[in-house]
Amino acid sequence: MAFTLPDLPYAHDALASLGMSRETLEYHHDLHHKAYVDNGNKLIAGTEWEGKSLEDIIRGTYQAGAVAQNGIFNNASQHWNHNQFWEMMGPGEGKKMPGDLEGAITDSFGSVQKFKDDFAAAGAGQFGSGWCWLVKDKDGGLKVTKTENGVNPLCFGQTALLGCDVWEHSYYIDFRNKRPAYLTNFLEKLVNWENVASRL
């Protein structure tokens, strides 16, 4: 069964007052994300991965240590990454961090502010395209990571709690080259913390 582009969970202009414009979402969701879906479907057609779940494809095609990942992995992982990304943001509800998430973050980082600082630093420090993540590691602890291109926590047996896309198409229309400002805005205005907590 072919993968499909999901609708955004909110209107294209729902995040505009929070720093992510309609134009960004029209380009990012309707064009970039759709391209990952379309290209991924073409690449898996007639292969052993046709009909497999997105997660199985990502885990099965990731090549640890490779200088560059293969096309099936890149498109499948970016489809998965963006599915999570849209859900991890929201226009209204979910802006207050639930107590269980706040407690888990404080246990792992010392404070919520220290987590935010580490997360923003990971995103700003990711050379070129990629993502920064808050993950639940295999030992149950929380940590901040960064990954290149489309690589994601599934590749390392981790659970993605929060991810931020630091490819330029995610922020250049609204923030130009100011990636740190985009990351701060993401954490302070865009994250749906209830969605993040639901992933614990």
Side-chain angles (χ1 to χ4, degrees), residues 79-125:
H79 179 30
W80 187 90
N81 292 347
H82 285 83
N83 286 347
Q84 314 312 310
F85 187 53
W86 310 133
E87 297 285 347
M88 290 167 173
M89 298 185 290
E93 59 286 328
K95 296 303 178 185
K96 187 176 188 313
M97 188 179 289
D100 56 342
L101 176 62
E102 184 174 353
I105 285 175
T106 301
D107 286 346
S108 292
F109 296 94
S111 70
V112 171
Q113 189 57 53
K114 178 65 164 61
F115 149 68
K116 289 181 175 180
D117 291 345
D118 288 357
F119 187 90

Side-chain angles (χ1 to χ4, degrees), residues 3 5 18 20 36 38 43 46 63 69 79 86 97 106 109 113 132 142 147 156 168 193:
F3 295 114
L5 178 70
L18 304 174
M20 188 170 284
Y36 297 130
D38 292 345
L43 289 168
Q63 298 171 304
Q69 296 297 321
H79 179 30
W86 310 133
M97 188 179 289
T106 301
F109 296 94
Q113 189 57 53
C132 55
L142 305 190
T147 57
F156 311 106
E168 284 191 342
W193 294 108

Side-chain angles (χ1 to χ4, degrees), residues 23 58 66 135 157:
E23 186 180 9
I58 291 166
V135 303

Side-chain angles (χ1 to χ4, degrees), residues 60-185:
T61 59
Y62 174 66
Q63 298 171 304
V67 174
Q69 296 297 321
N70 60 81
I72 290 177
F73 172 84
N74 286 334
N75 286 281
S77 64
Q78 281 289 73
H79 179 30
W80 187 90
N81 292 347
H82 285 83
N83 286 347
Q84 314 312 310
F85 187 53
W86 310 133
E87 297 285 347
M88 290 167 173
M89 298 185 290
E93 59 286 328
K95 296 303 178 185
K96 187 176 188 313
M97 188 179 289
D100 56 342
L101 176 62
E102 184 174 353
I105 285 175
T106 301
D107 286 346
S108 292
F109 296 94
S111 70
V112 171
Q113 189 57 53
K114 178 65 164 61
F115 149 68
K116 289 181 175 180
D117 291 345
D118 288 357
F119 187 90
Q126 171 56 38
F127 182 75
S129 300
W131 294 74
C132 55
W133 306 92
L134 170 65
V135 303
K136 185 175 181 180
D137 216 345
K138 287 178 275 194
D139 64 4
L142 305 190
K143 64 189 286 190
V144 165
T145 66
K146 60 183 178 179
T147 57
E148 73 279 359
N149 299 319
V151 177
N152 65 46
L154 290 177
C155 303
F156 311 106
Q158 300 164 329
T159 301
L161 304 181
L162 178 66
C164 186
D165 187 347
V166 295
W167 287 62
E168 284 191 342
H169 61 235
S170 190
Y171 61 88
Y172 215 83
I173 290 170
D174 301 313
F175 290 90
R176 294 299 185 257
N177 64 333
K178 297 180 176 65
R179 188 190 285 184
Y182 158 73
L183 286 156
T184 298
N185 185 79

Side-chain angles (χ1 to χ4, degrees), residues 43-61:
L43 289 168
I44 65 172
T47 73
E48 64 184 296
W49 302 109
E50 191 171 18
K52 296 281 180 33
S53 74
L54 204 50
E55 291 79 6
D56 284 345
I57 294 170
I58 291 166
R59 294 186 187 104
T61 59

